[in-house]
Amino acid sequence: MNITNESCLPSAQHPSIPALVCVVFSVGFLLNVFSLWVFCCRLSSWSAGTVLQFNLALSDALATPVTPLIAAYFLNGHDWAFGRFLCQVKIALMSSHFYGSTTFLTLISVHRVIREHRNHRDRTMGKLQEFEITFEGNKVVYSPGESISGSVRIKVAQALPCKAIKVNCNGFCGITTKVNDTAWTTEEQYFNTTVSVADKGTLKPGEHTFPFKFLIPATAPTSYEGNYGKIIYRVRSFIDTPRFAKDYDTEKSFYLLSLLNLNQVPDIWGPSQSAVTQLFTYMLMKTGTMVLKAQTDMKGYTPGQVIQVTAKIHNQSGKSSSNVTASLMQRVTYETKKPTHDLRVIAQVEGGVVKAGKELEWREQIIVPPLPQSQLNGCDLIKIEYYVKVSFKSPDVMLTLPIHIGNVSLDKKHQPKSSPNCPASAAASDPAPASASAPDPASALDSSPVVTSAALPPRPAPKPAPRSRMSSCHSPSAPPALGEWQRGPNEGAQGGAVTDGYPNKRQSQLVSPNAFSYAPGLFFGQNQQSNASSSSPGNPQTPSSCPYPADNRASMMPSPHILPPDYSTPSYPRANAV
């Protein structure tokens, strides 16, 4: 059978082929340029795998310039209109692209198989049997300015040639815009120190120990782990082998705790208070007013202490309100290009409703769970804030009371001396018992409907009339002292302590499991003993049998610490951003 030249003529192509080639050109050009830019400008060191991947990207980029010529060739009915030279360039580039891509893809696959096999052999059957870092005294929590010492332990079954053995200690903060992502968009480094503990040589079979010691800077911030960022400290060790890449490495994290002394926080003394007057419309035509004033007994707390919340509510409308709630809120700001805010409810307590035209004085308590401290001194990328939110859903009324969470509780010995006209000074000179020496949180609230967002200054107030109180020893889930309601002048409030025919709307304290997030150095103390002489009206006496420690504000001892969970623990509780 004779084959003529006519039988080898190209067949007609579908019209979609040129369009597909144009799409390949557009997408391929952008992606290949970006890939080469990353290889050339963003990678500081290259490994054998990096070299192969760069050559693969370069092979793919070779086909990009000739794709428009191929599209024009198809559109012209297989008529090449660009001359002989460009035809030869096109053939050379396409051939290099085809054979280069195939070759480097094959080499990358072979390289990965060999590397995995070699590591598995060396670790299980071959040279390296153990490679770990230990800290002196098995200590994992350190303070700024302290030295960290330990040793690197290596056990080899066969002689292992190495160029050097290095130990690195570093601390940094990384933040991102995606939840639980470790591809940091912004980083902040606090220190990075590397020492060489062994020079070029051969590790003989057996165990080898190499000591190290580093000094932690005094300005390093406390360790932290959140949804969008972390402050991480770790010690890493590397074995440089004569091969191209670092074949062996290991690391171990440690945790840094810089105690926050609440007595050193500016403007920390006195209650945190605020007031708001809200106009609202109901039943389309009627209008009403809700006056809400609230305060906390202090501005600073440590985990295990109790926040005393007092609110005065005047419903000047013809419609009953919804249940009043008080929530301990945490707001974490991550300073990315567009700041990311992570807001969550740590604990929440709920009271009853306020009937139309009635007045109510409401008191609640919130136990502070283990939490990260308010200030991460030395870190510019993460900011932590706490506040108590008192609110109604209907009408939509809310106010916030900023507070601080620290490690060393407030001590009245460090309170600045006030003038003779100051109510705090008058209260201090009163020889009355402890239950009457401090002003009543509710009585410090002014009864006039004032609209303000700033903290109201403390005012002198008469001693509150004596009233019966429940036992101060309470369970952690629903303390009986929580939810104390007092009737207003109109005797029409509906709440937790009202029993004249109204249902009890008081609910147990709800503590979010996310409140117990990574907070090194903070937990409910188990070894703290109650002291009857240290009880105060803001923090009732807690016997030693109760699960929460007594509030001893005169104590300057920091909260004890527990080891936080490992960063890689998958069961670590997390909260969704609001």
Side-chain angles (χ1 to χ4, degrees):
M1 179 178 179
N2 295 328
I3 300 178
T4 62
N5 292 334
E6 295 180 356
S7 62
C8 294
L9 293 176
S11 59
Q13 299 291 337
H14 193 274
S16 62
I17 297 299
L20 181 61
V21 172
C22 292
V23 172
V24 170
F25 167 74
S26 302
V27 177
F29 177 77
L30 295 176
L31 294 181
N32 283 312
V33 169
F34 175 75
S35 178
L36 294 175
W37 174 78
V38 170
F39 279 112
C40 296
C41 302
R42 305 298 294 179
L43 295 182
S44 57
S45 61
W46 287 21
S47 64
T50 306
V51 173
L52 294 176
Q53 293 175 22
F54 171 78
N55 283 279
L56 176 61
L58 190 60
S59 299
D60 292 338
L62 291 178
T64 304
V66 299
T67 47
L69 304 181
I70 297 175
Y73 170 72
F74 288 141
L75 288 174
N76 291 336
H78 301 276
D79 183 17
W80 183 264
F82 303 104
R84 182 180 181 86
F85 175 73
L86 287 181
C87 179
Q88 294 176 344
V89 170
K90 185 259 300 184
I91 294 174
L93 292 178
M94 292 301 294
S95 299
S96 300
H97 158 69
F98 178 78
Y99 293 109
S101 299
T102 304
T103 302
F104 288 115
L105 277 174
T106 304
L107 291 176
I108 289 174
S109 301
V110 172
H111 174 263
R112 291 183 176 178
V113 170
I114 294 176
R115 185 184 180 101
E116 289 297 326
H117 176 71
R118 182 184 62 199
N119 290 341
H120 177 75
R121 180 200 63 193
D122 289 346
R123 289 185 179 272
T124 59
M125 301 186 311
K127 300 178 181 178
L128 190 63
Q129 294 180 328
E130 294 183 15
F131 187 22
E132 62 180 1
I133 297 172
T134 57
F135 297 141
E136 184 176 347
N138 293 324
K139 185 177 180 181
V140 293
V141 179
Y142 294 85
S143 301
E146 190 177 356
S147 62
I148 176 172
S149 57
S151 60
V152 177
R153 182 173 176 268
I154 303 174
K155 183 178 180 181
V156 292
Q158 303 176 15
L160 177 64
C162 62
K163 294 191 297 184
I165 300 176
K166 299 179 181 179
V167 182
N168 170 266
C169 181
N170 66 13
F172 70 96
C173 174
I175 59 176
T176 181
T177 56
K178 298 180 181 179
V179 177
N180 303 331
D181 186 17
T182 56
W184 311 121
T185 57
T186 306
E187 292 187 24
E188 182 179 67
Q189 183 170 283
Y190 306 119
F191 60 91
N192 187 15
T193 307
T194 302
V195 296
S196 179
V197 295
D199 296 329
K200 184 177 181 180
T202 301
L203 289 176
K204 297 181 180 180
E207 294 187 6
H208 304 268
T209 302
F210 303 94
F212 63 83
K213 186 174 184 178
F214 297 97
L215 181 63
I216 303 173
T219 57
T222 296
S223 299
Y224 176 77
E225 179 175 349
N227 290 333
Y228 298 90
K230 299 178 182 179
I231 299 178
I232 300 175
Y233 299 96
R234 59 187 178 181
V235 174
R236 299 183 295 170
S237 182
F238 309 95
I239 300 178
D240 289 344
T241 67
R243 291 180 284 271
F244 190 81
K246 296 176 181 178
D247 289 336
Y248 309 104
D249 62 87
T250 186
E251 70 175 54
K252 186 172 184 178
S253 299
F254 65 93
Y255 307 95
L256 205 62
L257 177 60
S258 178
L259 295 178
L260 176 58
N261 189 341
L262 293 175
N263 299 276
Q264 300 175 355
V265 176
D267 193 27
I268 194 65
W269 300 101
S272 178
Q273 52 191 359
S274 181
V276 63
T277 300
Q278 180 69 45
L279 298 174
F280 63 97
T281 303
Y282 61 98
M283 297 180 64
L284 300 179
M285 297 178 59
K286 297 183 179 181
T287 59
T289 304
M290 177 71 76
V291 179
L292 173 62
K293 304 175 184 180
Q295 74 170 28
T296 59
D297 57 326
M298 297 188 298
K299 294 181 182 179
Y301 302 88
T302 57
Q305 288 187 321
V306 177
I307 303 175
Q308 304 283 347
V309 182
T310 305
K312 292 186 69 174
I313 309 141
H314 190 186
N315 186 356
Q316 301 174 357
S317 70
K319 178 184 178 182
S320 296
S321 72
S322 62
N323 291 41
V324 60
T325 60
S327 306
L328 175 58
M329 308 294 295
Q330 180 193 66
R331 177 187 173 95
V332 184
T333 302
Y334 300 89
E335 299 294 343
T336 54
K337 186 176 183 181
K338 183 179 180 182
T340 302
H341 303 286
D342 186 8
L343 182 66
R344 55 184 175 178
V345 179
I346 302 300
Q348 179 174 294
V349 290
E350 185 176 281
V353 302
V354 182
K355 297 182 73 69
K358 305 301 179 181
E359 238 182 300
L360 173 70
E361 182 179 292
W362 179 54
R363 296 189 177 187
E364 263 296 359
Q365 297 179 350
I366 301 176
I367 300 174
V368 180
L371 291 171
Q373 60 197 48
S374 298
Q375 299 178 7
L376 298 176
N377 295 326
C379 177
D380 297 328
L381 299 182
I382 301 177
K383 181 181 180 182
I384 305 177
E385 301 170 287
Y386 295 96
Y387 60 90
V388 175
K389 181 178 73 173
V390 182
S391 62
F392 290 88
K393 289 185 178 179
S394 176
D396 186 11
V397 182
M398 180 193 72
L399 58 78
T400 60
L401 307 171
I403 61 173
H404 296 270
I405 303 296
N407 310 105
V408 180
S409 59
L410 290 174
D411 185 353
K412 291 182 179 179
K413 296 179 182 179
H414 294 76
Q415 183 175 3
K417 294 183 179 179
S418 43
S419 61
N421 296 328
C422 180
S425 176
S429 62
D430 191 356
S435 60
S437 62
D440 189 353
S443 63
L445 296 173
D446 186 20
S447 60
S448 59
V450 180
V451 182
T452 176
S453 59
L456 300 178
R459 305 181 182 181
K463 295 182 180 180
R467 57 181 183 272
S468 61
R469 297 185 64 89
M470 304 183 69
S471 172
S472 61
C473 182
H474 47 72
S475 66
S477 59
L482 302 184
E484 178 182 349
W485 287 75
Q486 291 183 335
R487 296 186 179 232
N490 295 319
E491 299 292 328
Q494 179 178 351
V498 179
T499 58
D500 50 347
Y502 292 110
N504 190 338
K505 299 294 184 179
R506 173 69 178 86
Q507 297 185 4
S508 299
Q509 179 176 2
L510 304 178
V511 180
S512 167
N514 301 299
F516 299 88
S517 59
Y518 161 49
L522 306 179
F523 81 120
F524 289 138
Q526 301 297 329
N527 57 351
Q528 300 185 26
Q529 299 296 326
S530 174
N531 188 349
S533 63
S534 65
S535 62
S536 65
N539 293 274
Q541 175 185 347
T542 307
S544 59
S545 60
C546 292
Y548 293 98
D551 174 22
N552 187 357
R553 296 183 201 170
S555 173
M556 285 297 295
M557 294 299 293
S559 301
H561 59 262
I562 55 174
L563 300 185
D566 189 4
Y567 288 114
S568 60
T569 304
S571 60
Y572 174 77
R574 301 183 183 274
N576 295 326
V578 177

Coordinates of all heavy atoms in Angstrom, one line a residue, residues 244-304:
F244 N 23.4 16.9 51.0 CA 23.0 18.2 50.6 C 22.1 18.9 51.7 O 22.2 20.1 51.8 CB 22.3 18.2 49.2 CG 22.1 19.5 48.7 CD1 23.2 20.2 48.0 CD2 20.9 20.2 48.8 CE1 23.0 21.4 47.4 CE2 20.7 21.4 48.2 CZ 21.7 22.0 47.5
A245 N 21.3 18.1 52.3 CA 20.3 18.7 53.2 C 20.5 18.3 54.6 O 21.3 17.3 54.9 CB 18.9 18.2 52.8
K246 N 19.8 19.0 55.5 CA 19.9 18.6 56.9 C 19.0 17.4 57.1 O 17.8 17.5 57.0 CB 19.4 19.7 57.8 CG 20.3 20.9 57.8 CD 19.7 22.1 58.6 CE 20.6 23.3 58.5 NZ 20.1 24.4 59.2
D247 N 19.6 16.2 57.4 CA 18.8 15.0 57.4 C 18.0 14.8 58.7 O 17.0 14.1 58.7 CB 19.7 13.8 57.2 CG 20.2 13.7 55.8 OD1 19.6 14.3 54.9 OD2 21.3 13.1 55.6
Y248 N 18.5 15.3 59.8 CA 17.9 15.0 61.1 C 17.7 16.3 61.9 O 18.5 17.2 61.9 CB 18.8 14.1 61.9 CG 19.3 12.9 61.2 CD1 20.6 12.8 60.7 CD2 18.4 11.8 61.0 CE1 21.0 11.7 60.0 CE2 18.8 10.7 60.3 CZ 20.1 10.6 59.8 OH 20.5 9.5 59.1
D249 N 16.5 16.4 62.5 CA 16.2 17.6 63.3 C 15.2 17.1 64.4 O 14.4 16.2 64.1 CB 15.8 18.7 62.5 CG 14.5 18.5 61.8 OD1 13.4 18.6 62.4 OD2 14.5 18.0 60.6
T250 N 15.2 17.8 65.5 CA 14.2 17.6 66.5 C 14.0 18.9 67.2 O 14.8 19.8 67.2 CB 14.6 16.5 67.5 OG1 13.5 16.2 68.4 CG2 15.8 16.9 68.3
E251 N 12.8 19.1 68.0 CA 12.6 20.3 68.7 C 11.7 20.0 69.9 O 11.1 19.0 70.0 CB 11.9 21.3 67.8 CG 10.4 21.0 67.4 CD 9.8 22.1 66.7 OE1 10.4 22.5 65.6 OE2 8.7 22.6 67.1
K252 N 11.7 20.9 70.9 CA 10.9 20.8 72.1 C 10.5 22.2 72.5 O 11.4 23.1 72.6 CB 11.7 20.1 73.2 CG 10.9 19.9 74.4 CD 11.7 19.0 75.4 CE 10.8 18.7 76.6 NZ 11.5 17.8 77.6
S253 N 9.2 22.4 72.8 CA 8.7 23.7 73.2 C 8.8 23.9 74.6 O 8.8 23.0 75.4 CB 7.2 23.8 72.7 OG 7.1 23.7 71.4
F254 N 9.0 25.2 75.0 CA 8.9 25.5 76.4 C 8.0 26.7 76.5 O 7.7 27.4 75.5 CB 10.3 25.8 77.1 CG 11.0 26.9 76.5 CD1 10.9 28.2 77.0 CD2 11.8 26.8 75.4 CE1 11.6 29.3 76.5 CE2 12.5 27.8 74.8 CZ 12.4 29.1 75.4
Y255 N 7.6 27.1 77.7 CA 6.6 28.1 77.9 C 7.1 29.2 78.8 O 7.8 28.9 79.8 CB 5.3 27.5 78.6 CG 4.8 26.3 77.8 CD1 5.2 25.0 78.1 CD2 4.0 26.5 76.6 CE1 4.8 23.9 77.4 CE2 3.6 25.4 75.9 CZ 4.0 24.1 76.2 OH 3.6 23.0 75.5
L256 N 6.8 30.4 78.5 CA 7.3 31.6 79.2 C 6.1 32.3 79.9 O 5.1 32.5 79.3 CB 7.9 32.5 78.2 CG 9.0 33.5 78.7 CD1 10.1 32.7 79.3 CD2 9.5 34.4 77.6
L257 N 6.3 32.6 81.1 CA 5.3 33.3 82.0 C 5.9 34.5 82.6 O 6.8 34.5 83.4 CB 4.8 32.3 83.1 CG 3.8 32.9 84.0 CD1 2.5 33.4 83.3 CD2 3.4 31.9 85.1
S258 N 5.3 35.6 82.1 CA 5.7 36.9 82.7 C 4.5 37.4 83.6 O 3.5 37.7 83.1 CB 6.0 38.0 81.6 OG 6.3 39.2 82.2
L259 N 4.7 37.3 84.9 CA 3.6 37.6 85.8 C 3.1 39.0 85.6 O 3.8 40.0 85.5 CB 4.0 37.4 87.3 CG 4.4 36.0 87.7 CD1 4.8 35.9 89.1 CD2 3.2 35.0 87.4
L260 N 1.7 39.2 85.6 CA 1.1 40.5 85.5 C 0.6 40.9 86.9 O -0.3 40.3 87.4 CB -0.1 40.5 84.5 CG -0.9 41.8 84.5 CD1 0.0 43.0 84.1 CD2 -2.0 41.7 83.5
N261 N 1.3 41.8 87.5 CA 0.9 42.3 88.9 C -0.1 43.4 88.7 O 0.1 44.5 88.2 CB 2.2 42.8 89.6 CG 1.9 43.2 91.1 OD1 0.7 43.3 91.5 ND2 3.0 43.3 91.8
L262 N -1.3 43.1 89.1 CA -2.4 44.0 89.0 C -2.2 45.3 89.7 O -2.7 46.4 89.4 CB -3.7 43.4 89.4 CG -4.3 42.2 88.6 CD1 -5.5 41.6 89.2 CD2 -4.6 42.7 87.2
N263 N -1.4 45.3 90.8 CA -1.1 46.5 91.6 C -0.3 47.5 90.8 O -0.2 48.7 91.2 CB -0.4 46.1 92.9 CG -1.2 45.2 93.8 OD1 -2.0 45.7 94.5 ND2 -1.0 43.9 93.7
Q264 N 0.3 47.1 89.7 CA 1.1 48.0 88.9 C 0.4 48.5 87.6 O 1.0 49.2 86.8 CB 2.4 47.3 88.5 CG 3.3 46.8 89.7 CD 4.5 46.0 89.2 OE1 4.7 45.7 88.1 NE2 5.3 45.6 90.2
V265 N -0.8 48.1 87.5 CA -1.6 48.5 86.3 C -2.2 49.9 86.6 O -2.8 50.1 87.7 CB -2.8 47.5 86.0 CG1 -3.6 48.0 84.9 CG2 -2.2 46.1 85.7
P266 N -2.0 50.9 85.7 CA -2.5 52.2 85.9 C -4.1 52.2 86.1 O -4.8 51.4 85.4 CB -2.1 53.0 84.7 CG -1.0 52.2 84.1 CD -1.3 50.8 84.4
D267 N -4.6 53.1 86.9 CA -6.0 53.3 87.1 C -6.7 52.0 87.4 O -7.8 51.7 86.8 CB -6.6 54.0 85.8 CG -8.0 54.5 86.1 OD1 -8.3 54.8 87.2 OD2 -8.8 54.6 85.1
I268 N -6.2 51.2 88.3 CA -6.8 49.9 88.6 C -7.7 49.9 89.8 O -8.5 49.0 90.0 CB -5.7 48.8 88.8 CG1 -6.2 47.4 88.8 CG2 -4.9 49.1 90.1 CD1 -6.8 47.0 87.5
W269 N -7.6 51.0 90.6 CA -8.3 51.0 91.9 C -9.7 51.5 91.7 O -10.0 52.4 90.9 CB -7.6 51.8 92.9 CG -6.2 51.2 93.2 CD1 -5.0 51.7 92.7 CD2 -5.9 50.1 94.0 NE1 -4.0 50.9 93.1 CE2 -4.5 49.9 93.9 CE3 -6.7 49.2 94.7 CZ2 -3.9 48.9 94.6 CZ3 -6.0 48.2 95.4 CH2 -4.7 48.0 95.3
G270 N -10.6 51.0 92.5 CA -12.0 51.5 92.5 C -12.9 50.6 91.6 O -12.4 49.7 90.9
P271 N -14.2 50.8 91.6 CA -15.1 49.9 90.8 C -15.0 50.4 89.3 O -14.7 51.5 88.9 CB -16.4 50.2 91.4 CG -16.3 51.6 91.9 CD -14.9 51.7 92.4
S272 N -15.4 49.4 88.4 CA -15.6 49.7 87.0 C -17.1 49.9 86.8 O -17.9 49.0 87.1 CB -15.1 48.6 86.1 OG -15.4 48.9 84.8
Q273 N -17.6 51.1 86.4 CA -19.0 51.4 86.4 C -19.3 52.2 85.1 O -18.5 52.9 84.5 CB -19.4 52.1 87.6 CG -18.6 53.4 88.0 CD -18.9 53.9 89.4 OE1 -19.7 53.4 90.1 NE2 -18.2 55.0 89.7
S274 N -20.6 52.1 84.8 CA -21.1 52.8 83.6 C -22.6 52.9 83.7 O -23.3 52.2 84.5 CB -20.7 52.0 82.3 OG -21.1 52.7 81.2
A275 N -23.2 53.7 82.9 CA -24.7 53.9 82.8 C -25.1 54.3 81.4 O -24.3 54.8 80.7 CB -25.1 55.0 83.8
V276 N -26.3 53.9 81.1 CA -26.9 54.2 79.8 C -28.4 54.3 79.9 O -29.0 53.7 80.7 CB -26.5 53.0 78.8 CG1 -27.2 51.7 79.2 CG2 -26.9 53.4 77.4
T277 N -28.9 55.2 79.1 CA -30.4 55.4 79.0 C -30.8 55.2 77.6 O -30.2 55.8 76.7 CB -30.8 56.8 79.4 OG1 -30.4 57.0 80.8 CG2 -32.3 57.0 79.3
Q278 N -31.7 54.2 77.3 CA -32.0 53.8 76.0 C -33.5 54.1 75.7 O -34.4 53.6 76.4 CB -31.7 52.3 75.8 CG -32.1 51.8 74.4 CD -31.1 52.3 73.4 OE1 -29.9 52.3 73.6 NE2 -31.6 52.7 72.2
L279 N -33.7 54.9 74.6 CA -35.1 55.1 74.1 C -35.4 54.0 73.1 O -34.6 53.7 72.3 CB -35.2 56.5 73.5 CG -35.0 57.7 74.5 CD1 -35.0 59.0 73.7 CD2 -36.0 57.7 75.6
F280 N -36.6 53.5 73.2 CA -37.0 52.5 72.2 C -38.5 52.6 71.9 O -39.3 53.2 72.6 CB -36.7 51.1 72.7 CG -37.4 50.7 74.0 CD1 -38.6 49.9 73.9 CD2 -37.0 51.0 75.2 CE1 -39.2 49.5 75.0 CE2 -37.6 50.7 76.4 CZ -38.8 49.9 76.3
T281 N -38.9 52.0 70.8 CA -40.3 52.0 70.3 C -40.8 50.6 70.4 O -40.1 49.6 70.0 CB -40.4 52.5 68.9 OG1 -39.8 53.8 68.9 CG2 -41.8 52.6 68.5
Y282 N -42.1 50.4 70.9 CA -42.7 49.1 70.9 C -44.2 49.3 70.4 O -44.8 50.4 70.6 CB -42.6 48.5 72.2 CG -43.3 49.3 73.4 CD1 -44.6 48.9 73.8 CD2 -42.7 50.3 74.0 CE1 -45.2 49.6 74.8 CE2 -43.3 51.0 75.0 CZ -44.5 50.7 75.4 OH -45.1 51.4 76.4
M283 N -44.8 48.3 69.9 CA -46.1 48.3 69.4 C -46.3 49.4 68.4 O -47.4 50.0 68.2 CB -47.1 48.5 70.5 CG -47.1 47.3 71.5 SD -48.3 47.5 72.9 CE -49.9 47.5 72.0
L284 N -45.2 49.7 67.6 CA -45.2 50.6 66.4 C -45.4 52.0 66.8 O -44.9 52.9 66.1 CB -46.3 50.2 65.4 CG -46.1 48.7 64.8 CD1 -47.2 48.5 63.8 CD2 -44.8 48.6 64.1
M285 N -46.1 52.3 67.9 CA -46.4 53.7 68.2 C -45.9 54.2 69.5 O -45.4 55.3 69.6 CB -47.9 53.9 68.1 CG -48.6 53.6 66.8 SD -50.4 53.8 66.8 CE -50.5 55.6 67.3
K286 N -45.9 53.3 70.5 CA -45.5 53.7 71.8 C -44.0 53.7 72.0 O -43.3 53.0 71.3 CB -46.1 52.7 72.9 CG -47.6 52.7 72.9 CD -48.1 51.8 74.0 CE -49.6 51.8 74.0 NZ -50.2 51.0 75.1
T287 N -43.5 54.6 72.8 CA -42.1 54.7 73.1 C -41.9 54.5 74.6 O -42.8 54.8 75.4 CB -41.5 56.1 72.6 OG1 -42.2 57.1 73.3 CG2 -41.6 56.2 71.1
G288 N -40.7 54.1 74.9 CA -40.3 53.9 76.3 C -38.9 54.2 76.5 O -38.1 54.4 75.6
T289 N -38.5 54.2 77.8 CA -37.1 54.4 78.2 C -36.7 53.3 79.2 O -37.4 53.0 80.1 CB -37.0 55.8 78.8 OG1 -37.4 56.8 77.9 CG2 -35.5 56.1 79.2
M290 N -35.4 52.9 79.0 CA -34.8 51.9 79.9 C -33.5 52.6 80.5 O -32.7 52.9 79.7 CB -34.5 50.6 79.2 CG -33.8 49.6 80.1 SD -34.8 48.9 81.4 CE -35.8 47.7 80.4
V291 N -33.5 52.7 81.8 CA -32.3 53.2 82.4 C -31.5 52.1 83.1 O -32.1 51.4 83.9 CB -32.7 54.3 83.5 CG1 -31.4 54.8 84.2 CG2 -33.5 55.4 82.8
L292 N -30.3 51.9 82.7 CA -29.4 50.8 83.1 C -28.1 51.4 83.7 O -27.4 52.1 83.0 CB -29.1 49.8 82.0 CG -28.2 48.7 82.3 CD1 -28.7 47.8 83.5 CD2 -27.9 47.8 81.1
K293 N -27.8 51.0 84.9 CA -26.6 51.4 85.6 C -26.0 50.2 86.2 O -26.7 49.4 86.8 CB -26.8 52.5 86.6 CG -27.5 53.7 86.1 CD -27.8 54.7 87.2 CE -28.6 55.9 86.7 NZ -28.9 56.9 87.8
A294 N -24.7 50.0 86.0 CA -24.0 48.8 86.5 C -22.6 49.0 86.9 O -22.0 50.0 86.4 CB -24.1 47.7 85.4
Q295 N -22.1 48.2 87.7 CA -20.7 48.3 88.1 C -20.2 46.9 88.6 O -21.0 46.0 89.0 CB -20.5 49.3 89.2 CG -21.0 48.9 90.6 CD -20.6 49.9 91.7 OE1 -20.4 51.1 91.4 NE2 -20.5 49.4 92.9
T296 N -18.8 46.8 88.6 CA -18.2 45.7 89.2 C -17.5 46.2 90.5 O -17.1 47.4 90.5 CB -17.2 45.0 88.3 OG1 -16.2 45.9 87.9 CG2 -17.9 44.4 87.1
D297 N -17.2 45.3 91.4 CA -16.6 45.8 92.7 C -15.2 46.2 92.5 O -14.6 47.0 93.3 CB -16.7 44.7 93.8 CG -16.1 43.4 93.4 OD1 -16.1 43.1 92.2 OD2 -15.5 42.7 94.2
M298 N -14.5 45.6 91.5 CA -13.1 46.0 91.3 C -12.8 46.1 89.8 O -13.7 45.7 89.0 CB -12.1 44.9 91.9 CG -12.2 44.8 93.4 SD -10.9 43.7 94.1 CE -11.3 42.1 93.3
K299 N -11.6 46.5 89.4 CA -11.2 46.5 88.0 C -10.2 45.5 87.7 O -9.9 45.3 86.5 CB -10.6 47.9 87.7 CG -11.6 49.1 87.8 CD -10.9 50.4 87.4 CE -11.8 51.6 87.5 NZ -11.2 52.8 87.2
G300 N -9.7 44.7 88.7 CA -8.7 43.7 88.4 C -9.0 42.4 89.2 O -9.3 42.5 90.4
Y301 N -8.8 41.3 88.5 CA -9.1 40.0 89.2 C -8.0 39.0 88.7 O -7.4 39.1 87.7 CB -10.5 39.5 88.8 CG -11.6 40.4 89.1 CD1 -12.0 41.4 88.2 CD2 -12.3 40.3 90.4 CE1 -13.1 42.3 88.6 CE2 -13.3 41.1 90.7 CZ -13.7 42.1 89.8 OH -14.7 43.0 90.1
T302 N -7.9 37.9 89.5 CA -7.1 36.8 89.2 C -8.0 35.6 89.1 O -9.1 35.6 89.7 CB -6.0 36.6 90.2 OG1 -6.6 36.4 91.5 CG2 -5.0 37.7 90.3
P303 N -7.6 34.5 88.4 CA -8.4 33.3 88.3 C -8.8 32.8 89.7 O -7.9 32.7 90.5 CB -7.5 32.4 87.5 CG -6.7 33.2 86.6 CD -6.4 34.4 87.5
G304 N -10.0 32.4 89.8 CA -10.5 31.9 91.1 C -11.3 33.0 91.9 O -12.0 32.6 92.8

